[in-house]
Amino acid sequence: MALPTGIPVPVENLTECQQRDVCRAPAGILDLTLGLVTRHAIRPCRVDLATVKATCTRDSIGRASSYAPFCARAVVTPNPPRRDYLLSEANYWGIGVFLDHGNGDVETLIAPQSWQPKRHTPAAWRFAELAYASYLNHSPTSETTTTSNRAGDKTRG
């Protein structure tokens, strides 16, 4: 849905297709009051940088560029690129290149181009949902970590 978040928009300004979407939206997604529609639903997360861990080649640059509609992107490589033109090509496409030294140190060879969302799309929403699901699948669970509460006398997951 291409509506801005939290800003009332006159329904009459929407296309027929958008008006149908408004009528079909699940409860809680938006408010429809006095001819104005206000979207409340937002993406579950924002991805700042997608990385492809691979040797820096045209293929890995191409795989990183597939994230262009959604976020900044970079290739994390274990070795410097064998061809100098690969750094130029990555830079041209706005793709960062990071050299992973293997000991926790990462060197920036090319900084990724900053990215700003230009519009809301179903594909971007789906990407955010998949990224958030991946985060939840890879984040520590209460069985593996505990943190203290503010009082410091009990632990919680």
Side-chain angles (χ1 to χ4, degrees):
M1 191 171 289
L3 295 172
T5 306
I7 300 173
V9 175
V11 174
E12 64 191 31
N13 290 357
L14 303 178
T15 65
E16 286 183 30
C17 181
Q18 290 170 329
Q19 289 178 15
R20 282 192 303 272
D21 288 344
V22 165
C23 292
R24 291 189 312 228
I29 298 293
L30 49 84
D31 283 333
L32 184 57
T33 310
L34 301 173
L36 297 174
V37 61
T38 306
R39 182 170 70 94
H40 297 293
I42 58 171
R43 294 178 193 165
C45 68
R46 187 181 93 203
V47 177
D48 291 324
L49 178 69
T51 58
V52 172
K53 290 187 176 188
T55 302
C56 187
T57 62
R58 279 196 164 151
D59 179 61
S60 60
I61 291 170
R63 286 187 286 146
S65 74
S66 67
Y67 296 105
F70 312 115
C71 61
R73 57 249 187 259
V75 174
V76 179
T77 180
N79 302 308
R82 292 184 183 190
R83 308 280 189 253
D84 290 338
Y85 70 85
L86 290 171
L87 290 177
S88 298
E89 191 169 320
N91 189 45
Y92 176 81
W93 294 111
I95 298 169
V97 179
F98 300 125
L99 180 59
D100 184 355
H101 292 287
N103 59 359
D105 291 336
V106 178
E107 178 183 351
T108 302
L109 301 179
I110 300 289
Q113 183 179 20
S114 63
W115 181 89
Q116 293 293 321
K118 293 173 180 53
R119 59 194 168 109
H120 300 286
T121 64
W125 190 289
R126 179 74 175 142
F127 175 77
E129 286 179 342
L130 292 172
Y132 188 63
S134 177
Y135 165 76
L136 291 176
N137 288 333
H138 294 92
S139 63
T141 63
S142 60
E143 292 83 35
T144 60
T145 60
T146 58
T147 57
S148 298
N149 65 7
R150 289 191 182 125
D153 55 353
K154 295 181 183 177
T155 59
R156 60 180 180 174

